[in-house]
């Protein structure tokens, strides 16, 4: 009996010690949090620009911008990059250009763990605002996330998480913010290519879908649609009254400056495979001309693919409200009329239509290849061999059928 009571006493004592140690640890943590610089409850209102470096997901390649507000009992983040893949018809609406993003505010402690987990570098730049400007900016931020204002029509280059923050800062300050007048890229497409360098298939898709609007000349302010450029320019910016825009910079998470996937090997890039396809098609075309026969499966599949891609391009040009999708010179290459080539090669009585499409492609592809260096729209390097393949297939079809017509005579 005595031994049993002794065991019970020991267990109760051990449990009590553990509880006391746990409470002591929690009190120490709370005390530390209240006395470290990260506790801003008694400090003046400070507003800072948060920049998250690029990550490996496609939508993370240009980084992310947010605003942090701390002091006066606040430590919150204001984020304009929130979207929901589960929205009804998300993909269709995204392609059409009806992409709705949302602005939201929530405790800053919920924001950082995501970037720590993914190993992305996060930098904070304290803005050199007067108390009045800080209060005004906070008021603008609060108004922007009200239910009636939170949802906005996202535009990748004209209205995104960075542009929203820049506009809010401009509206809140009593004097103009002057950013460095330094154009680094010259166009939206050049800037996107720089940030998408390791993702050539993604850039291939962008160059396919987005037309001349991406190639318009940009100024230094317009180039700040990329969060990384906002951070870089903010560091050298100043107010018209001489104050520097940023008064202090700190690293919140060291991470990696470029936490993207490894660069795509050259032999897996679209330009390599485009030339491989062109080489194969050239060999088939040469054999077809020598034999005087058209290898219908190749021609049919090729122009079927062009027609399918053409449906997407036509949708983007004529229906989508994305401002950068039209005009797109590729509509002369990729359009739904390419289906007619495939159909007319199969149905004998439509052979004249096949010849008409062949001559169309000879002329259109020839002109496109000749004028491409002189037009505003910059074509992806992988497009040239594919356009050349289309030209070669159309030429061989016309040559073979013209020869066969002469033989019948």
């Amino acid at each position: 009996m005595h031994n049993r009571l002794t065991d019970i006493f020991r267990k109760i004592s051990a449990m009590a010690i553990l509880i006391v140690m746990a409470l002591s640890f929690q009190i120490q943590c709370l005390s530390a949090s209240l006395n470290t610089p990260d506790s801003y409850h008694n400090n003046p209102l400070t507003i800072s620009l948060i920049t998250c470096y690029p990550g490996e997901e496609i939508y993370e390649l240009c980084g992310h911008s947010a605003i942090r507000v701390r002091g006066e009992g606040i430590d919150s983040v204001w984020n304009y990059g929130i979207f929901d893949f589960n929205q009804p018809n998300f993909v269709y609406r995204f392609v059409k250009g009806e992409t709705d993003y949302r602005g939201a505010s929530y405790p800053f402690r919920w924001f950082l763990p995501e970037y720590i987990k993914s190993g992305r570098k996060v930098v904070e730049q304290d803005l050199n605002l007067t108390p009045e400007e800080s209060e005004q900016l906070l008021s603008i931020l609060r108004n922007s996330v009200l239910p009636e204002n939170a949802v906005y029509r996202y535009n990748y280059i004209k209205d995104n998480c960075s542009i929203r923050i820049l506009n809010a800062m401009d509206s809140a300050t009593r004097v103009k913010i002057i950013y460095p007048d330094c154009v680094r890229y010259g166009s939206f497409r050049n800037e996107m290519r720089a940030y998408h360098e390791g993702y050539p298939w993604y850039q291939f898709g962008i160059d396919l879908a987005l037309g001349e609007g991406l190639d318009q000349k940009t100024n230094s302010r317009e180039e700040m649609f990329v969060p990384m450029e906002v951070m870089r320019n903010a560091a050298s910016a100043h107010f018209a009254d001489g104050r520097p825009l940023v008064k202090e910079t700190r690293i919140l998470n060291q991470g990696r400056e470029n936490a993207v996937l490894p660069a795509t090997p050259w032999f897996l890039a679209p330009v390599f495979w485009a030339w491989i396809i062109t080489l194969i098609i050239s060999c088939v075309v040469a054999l077809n001309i020598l034999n005087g026969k058209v290898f219908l499966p190749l021609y049919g599949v090729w122009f079927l693919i062009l027609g399918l891609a053409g449906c997407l391009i036509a949708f983007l040009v004529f229906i989508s409200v994305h401002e950068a999708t039209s005009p797109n010179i590729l509509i002369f290459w990729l359009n739904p009329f390419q289906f007619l080539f495939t159909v007319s090669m199969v149905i004998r009585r439509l052979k004249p239509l096949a010849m008409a499409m062949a001559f169309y492609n000879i002329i259109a592809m020839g002109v496109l290849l000749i004028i491409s260096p002189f037009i505003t729209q910059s074509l992806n390097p992988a497009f040239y061999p594919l356009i050349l393949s289309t030209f070669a297939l159309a030429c061989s079809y016309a040559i073979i059928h013209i020869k066969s017509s002469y033989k019948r005579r």
Side-chain angles (χ1 to χ4, degrees):
M1 183 69 175
H2 179 268
N3 291 337
R4 186 176 178 184
L5 289 173
T6 301
D7 289 341
I8 292 173
F9 179 77
R10 286 176 179 174
K11 290 180 180 178
I12 293 173
S13 299
M15 188 177 296
I17 291 171
L18 288 174
I19 291 172
V20 170
M21 289 175 63
L23 288 173
S24 176
F25 177 75
Q26 292 294 331
I27 291 171
Q28 288 177 11
C29 290
L30 179 61
S31 176
S33 69
L34 290 174
N35 291 290
T36 58
D38 290 329
S39 179
Y40 300 102
H41 295 286
N42 299 318
N43 291 352
L45 194 64
T46 300
I47 300 182
S48 54
L49 174 66
I50 303 294
T51 305
C52 308
Y53 277 59
E56 64 181 38
E57 298 295 338
I58 285 175
Y59 55 84
E60 297 173 343
L61 294 181
C62 292
H64 180 55
S65 293
I67 284 283
R68 183 183 186 183
V69 179
R70 64 189 190 276
E72 299 181 0
I74 302 171
D75 190 3
S76 58
V77 69
W78 305 74
N79 186 354
Y80 295 94
I82 297 174
F83 61 92
D84 183 8
F85 279 123
N86 297 318
Q87 289 180 344
N89 304 314
F90 179 86
V91 175
Y92 170 79
R93 294 174 69 245
F94 184 85
V95 173
K96 190 179 178 183
E98 297 177 350
T99 310
D100 291 336
Y101 272 46
R102 176 181 291 275
S105 172
Y106 47 89
F108 184 74
R109 66 178 181 275
W110 296 355
F111 178 82
L112 201 56
E114 173 188 349
Y115 300 96
I116 295 175
K117 183 179 179 181
S118 59
R120 294 167 64 183
K121 186 174 181 178
V122 181
V123 172
E124 181 175 27
Q125 295 169 298
D126 290 346
L127 301 180
N128 192 19
L129 304 177
T130 65
E132 294 77 15
E133 290 169 339
S134 296
E135 292 292 346
Q136 178 64 18
L137 181 51
L138 179 57
S139 176
I140 291 172
L141 294 173
R142 284 171 169 163
N143 183 67
S144 70
V145 298
L146 292 175
E148 61 270 25
N149 300 328
V151 177
Y152 71 99
R153 182 56 46 84
Y154 178 84
N155 183 307
Y156 187 74
I157 58 177
K158 294 294 180 73
D159 195 0
N160 61 14
C161 63
S162 298
I163 303 300
R164 289 253 148 181
I165 290 171
L166 288 173
N167 291 341
M169 289 164 53
D170 286 342
S171 299
T173 53
R174 58 185 178 81
V175 292
K176 184 179 180 181
I177 302 173
I178 301 173
Y179 295 97
D181 188 14
C182 176
V183 177
R184 294 167 58 88
Y185 304 98
S187 73
F188 295 114
R189 197 185 304 274
N190 288 343
E191 188 167 358
M192 292 165 73
R193 284 175 175 172
Y195 281 92
H196 303 163
E197 185 178 7
Y199 292 65
W201 285 103
Y202 177 50
Q203 188 60 45
F204 178 88
I206 289 176
D207 290 340
L208 197 69
L210 303 183
E212 188 178 308
L214 281 191
D215 296 289
Q216 301 301 318
K217 289 184 177 181
T218 53
N219 55 41
S220 56
R221 172 61 183 246
E222 289 172 327
E223 289 187 345
M224 287 195 286
F225 79 93
V226 172
M228 298 299 296
E229 300 302 321
V230 176
M231 180 188 70
R232 182 179 290 111
N233 282 279
S236 303
H238 63 275
F239 292 96
D241 59 11
R243 286 177 292 151
L245 175 61
V246 175
K247 63 180 178 181
E248 186 179 347
T249 300
R250 69 183 64 84
I251 298 174
L252 298 181
N253 183 55
Q254 184 60 51
R256 290 178 291 158
E257 292 193 1
N258 206 16
V260 299
L261 294 174
T264 301
W266 63 269
F267 54 86
L268 294 178
V271 67
F272 173 80
W273 285 103
W275 281 111
I276 291 294
I277 291 170
T278 300
L279 179 61
I280 294 171
I281 287 178
S282 299
C283 293
V284 174
V285 163
L287 289 172
N288 286 347
I289 293 175
L290 288 173
N291 297 329
K293 292 182 179 180
V294 172
F295 183 56
L296 287 178
L298 173 61
Y299 289 73
V301 170
W302 182 260
F303 288 99
L304 177 65
I305 293 172
L306 296 190
L308 289 172
C311 290
L312 174 61
I313 300 301
F315 179 87
L316 292 171
V317 170
F318 299 111
I319 298 177
S320 175
V321 294
H322 276 300
E323 61 180 299
T325 58
S326 181
N328 187 343
I329 194 72
L330 296 180
I331 193 69
F332 293 103
W333 171 40
L334 303 173
N335 58 71
F337 293 111
Q338 298 288 16
F339 280 128
L340 297 177
F341 209 150
T342 298
V343 173
S344 58
M345 282 189 297
V346 176
I347 303 174
R348 284 184 174 275
R349 64 176 180 272
L350 293 179
K351 286 292 174 64
L353 179 58
M355 283 297 292
M357 287 301 301
F359 281 115
Y360 165 79
N361 278 295
I362 292 170
I363 296 170
M365 300 309 105
V367 171
L368 189 55
L369 289 170
I370 292 170
I371 69 170
S372 60
F374 309 103
I375 60 176
T376 302
Q377 185 172 340
S378 174
L379 303 187
N380 190 285
F383 293 167
Y384 292 100
L386 299 177
I387 294 172
L388 186 61
S389 295
T390 306
F391 179 80
L393 288 169
C395 284
S396 63
Y397 185 89
I399 290 170
I400 291 169
H401 280 274
I402 290 172
K403 283 184 176 181
S404 63
S405 296
Y406 277 116
K407 285 181 182 179
R408 292 193 201 102
R409 293 177 184 177

